[in-house]
Amino acid sequence: MRMGADPAGFKVNNMRKFNGHRGWSVYAAASICLVSQFAFAGGEPFVASTSESKNVPTEELGTGIYSRFPFHVSVSVRGGYDDNVNTSKIDRQESWFTNAGIALTYDFGSPRTQLSLQTGAGATYYWDQGRGVSASNQDYDVNAYLSLSLLHKASPRLSLAATVYASYQTEPDFTLALGLTRRSGNYFYTQDKFTVSYLWTPRFSTATSYTFGAIHYDDSGVGFFEDRFENTFGNEFKFLIWPTTSLVAEYRFQLVNYDHDIMRDSTTHFALGGVDHNFSPRFNASFRAGAEFRSYEQGQDDRSSPYFEGTLNYALGKDTSVSWTTRYAIEEPDVLLNPSRTTFRTGVRLKHNFTPRITGSLGAYYVHDDYDSMINNSVVSSAFTEEAFDIALSVRYAVTRYFGIEAGYNHTEVWSDIDLRGYSRNRYWAGLNVIF
């Protein structure tokens, strides 16, 4: 999912001493320069994959199998129309927009080391924005990102892995299990996981991980209840019961520390069990289920909840791929007063090559939030429920090997017990794309 990933790091106390925007700027710049996924354009990501990707045999879609030329660059220019730039029910602002972006991918493979790098940047300008009163109230969007995946086999038994993601963006991103579902100004986000795996016997192995996550909004009003650091430690015990199936027991310990004292710092213990299964070389699934137990440092009652997460990846031949993720868990809230929420989120991504020239993609995400109430001295905040749905469609026609025409549509719908929090939004776009 991008959902359910954990994070890497620094000592929490030292991180909280970052000097406001200055400290964050240094860290953001360093992360993006070192290490991500999409650059959004008109609601649809720039994906730096060539039109010839359909020629890669399905059996060669795994880690470490790469084309002869490992670099690919994608440049896109798009124009479109947005019927609710402010993502608001009462302050709707329509606008035409122009978008430009560039994305680069680099893949490297050897018998011991596999590396995959994606990076890019995009910008969107809204021609009629600026008259609204939304939290962002800016006539542009930005998106710069960096994603790195590295696996190194230090020995036949010992493997080292790192997955690093960092982005600086404006639009809400439903592929991430955090942040607001509304356009709320620019924000920096990173999620970095480091894992050491060891094969003790032919059937038994362990994986010890550390994950660091952070989010920071430029808008101080939003950042007051969103800016935070997350540190998660995990240990996984895996037993191979069949050549294609492993049983898993896992423990995680998470520390959440907010930049501002709003009584949300917490510690959480996870006790999970699950299974990893390969149905075929093209079809694999992973599931974890159990419970989480959260304690707050001050002012809040302890909480516990069932926990579930799952992923599924399926390649239907050489022309179609499907990925699905889901999670049910306690999450950090995206409102000021309600201290926590229990969230179910699920999403699917589908890519299909209709013909050698025509490629299409679909991404659909659904989120259901149950916000807890708060009664603290004279402050009362009632519990409420909120749902969000986002779908993005796109199609690309390859005019030549390198040049293509593309178009897409994105729809977002938010329903809430608090009527003013709900909104609907439609975005239409079309443009030109060059890949080399």
Side-chain angles (χ1 to χ4, degrees):
M1 319 195 220
R2 279 193 165 236
M3 302 186 222
D6 303 331
F10 308 107
K11 292 183 178 179
V12 173
N13 291 336
N14 289 337
M15 292 298 295
R16 299 180 69 183
K17 293 179 181 179
F18 269 35
N19 185 16
H21 290 281
R22 180 180 179 185
W24 269 104
S25 299
V26 173
Y27 179 68
S31 297
I32 292 178
C33 289
L34 290 174
V35 219
S36 187
Q37 190 167 3
F38 312 121
F40 285 88
E44 186 62 24
F46 291 116
V47 182
S49 60
T50 70
S51 59
E52 301 125 324
S53 61
K54 62 186 183 328
N55 297 323
V56 179
T58 305
E59 295 78 12
E60 298 183 4
L61 293 177
T63 304
I65 305 300
Y66 307 111
S67 62
R68 181 175 300 176
F69 302 101
F71 286 100
H72 291 297
V73 178
S74 174
V75 179
S76 295
V77 177
R78 299 167 176 174
Y81 172 77
D82 190 325
D83 72 357
N84 191 359
V85 179
N86 293 335
T87 59
S88 170
K89 188 170 186 176
I90 62 172
D91 183 34
R92 297 181 69 97
Q93 174 64 56
E94 303 176 1
S95 179
W96 295 92
F97 63 82
T98 301
N99 174 276
I102 183 171
L104 179 146
T105 64
Y106 171 73
D107 295 313
F108 168 80
S110 73
R112 295 184 61 186
T113 303
Q114 293 92 43
L115 170 68
S116 178
L117 172 68
Q118 298 177 352
T119 186
T124 303
Y125 179 76
Y126 296 96
W127 295 94
D128 300 320
Q129 173 64 349
R131 301 194 298 269
V133 293
S134 65
S136 59
N137 197 27
Q138 62 185 34
D139 56 8
Y140 67 93
D141 287 347
V142 296
N143 188 295
Y145 69 94
L146 188 61
S147 178
L148 173 70
S149 176
L150 175 65
L151 174 64
H152 176 68
K153 295 183 179 180
S155 73
R157 293 177 177 267
L158 179 64
S159 297
L160 309 176
T163 56
V164 180
Y165 178 81
S167 72
Y168 182 72
Q169 62 190 67
T170 306
E171 288 290 340
D173 188 345
F174 286 86
T175 67
L176 305 176
L178 85 168
L180 279 69
T181 58
R182 294 155 185 81
R183 192 164 174 257
S184 303
N186 305 330
Y187 64 95
F188 171 77
Y189 166 73
T190 187
Q191 193 171 70
D192 317 315
K193 184 175 183 178
F194 305 91
T195 305
V196 178
S197 301
Y198 192 78
L199 182 66
W200 298 90
T201 71
R203 289 183 175 267
F204 178 71
S205 63
T206 59
T208 302
S209 64
Y210 172 71
T211 313
F212 170 76
I215 185 168
H216 175 80
Y217 278 82
D218 288 354
D219 188 316
S220 59
V222 178
F224 181 77
F225 58 89
E226 278 290 296
D227 293 354
R228 62 185 180 272
F229 299 97
E230 299 178 1
N231 295 270
T232 306
F233 305 85
N235 205 54
E236 188 178 85
F237 305 89
K238 184 177 294 187
F239 185 76
L240 185 70
I241 57 173
W242 297 304
T244 59
T245 307
S246 296
L247 295 180
V248 180
E250 184 176 2
Y251 169 76
R252 299 176 194 167
F253 175 69
Q254 183 182 63
L255 296 167
V256 179
N257 296 90
Y258 280 79
D259 286 5
H260 309 281
D261 294 328
I262 55 174
M263 300 183 295
R264 289 186 180 173
D265 290 0
S266 65
T267 60
T268 305
H269 300 268
F270 300 82
L272 308 174
V275 60
D276 295 338
H277 181 70
N278 293 315
F279 295 92
S280 73
R282 301 176 179 179
F283 186 18
N284 65 78
S286 179
F287 301 99
R288 302 288 184 271
E292 57 179 314
F293 308 90
R294 176 168 294 197
S295 299
Y296 293 91
E297 292 189 6
Q298 54 179 326
Q300 309 291 343
D301 294 332
D302 293 349
R303 295 199 58 209
S304 61
S305 171
Y307 181 94
F308 175 81
E309 66 181 39
T311 63
L312 182 151
N313 298 286
Y314 190 22
L316 272 69
K318 64 180 183 179
D319 291 327
T320 304
S321 63
V322 181
S323 63
W324 168 78
T325 57
T326 191
R327 188 176 81 176
Y328 179 85
I330 299 173
E331 292 190 1
E332 304 304 314
D334 62 356
V335 295
L336 176 60
L337 296 179
N338 300 72
S340 63
R341 62 178 172 177
T342 303
T343 298
F344 169 76
R345 60 177 71 240
T346 187
V348 62
R349 293 189 64 84
L350 170 66
K351 297 184 69 175
H352 179 68
N353 298 321
F354 296 97
T355 72
R357 290 180 178 271
I358 301 175
T359 302
S361 67
L362 177 147
Y365 299 90
Y366 169 78
V367 182
H368 178 96
D369 294 315
D370 290 314
Y371 289 84
D372 297 313
S373 61
M374 184 186 77
I375 301 176
N376 185 11
N377 297 326
S378 61
V379 179
V380 178
S381 181
S382 301
F384 69 95
T385 296
E386 190 166 287
E387 295 176 290
F389 175 73
D390 182 81
I391 185 170
L393 303 167
S394 69
V395 62
R396 183 180 189 273
Y397 177 76
V399 180
T400 69
R401 180 178 180 181
Y402 302 105
F403 174 71
I405 301 172
E406 51 190 6
Y409 168 72
N410 177 245
H411 175 75
T412 303
E413 194 83 30
V414 176
W415 305 272
S416 179
D417 290 345
I418 301 176
D419 188 57
L420 293 181
R421 285 178 57 86
Y423 73 90
S424 64
R425 184 187 193 189
N426 296 283
R427 293 164 64 87
Y428 312 84
W429 58 267
L432 308 176
N433 172 249
V434 179
I435 298 175
F436 53 90

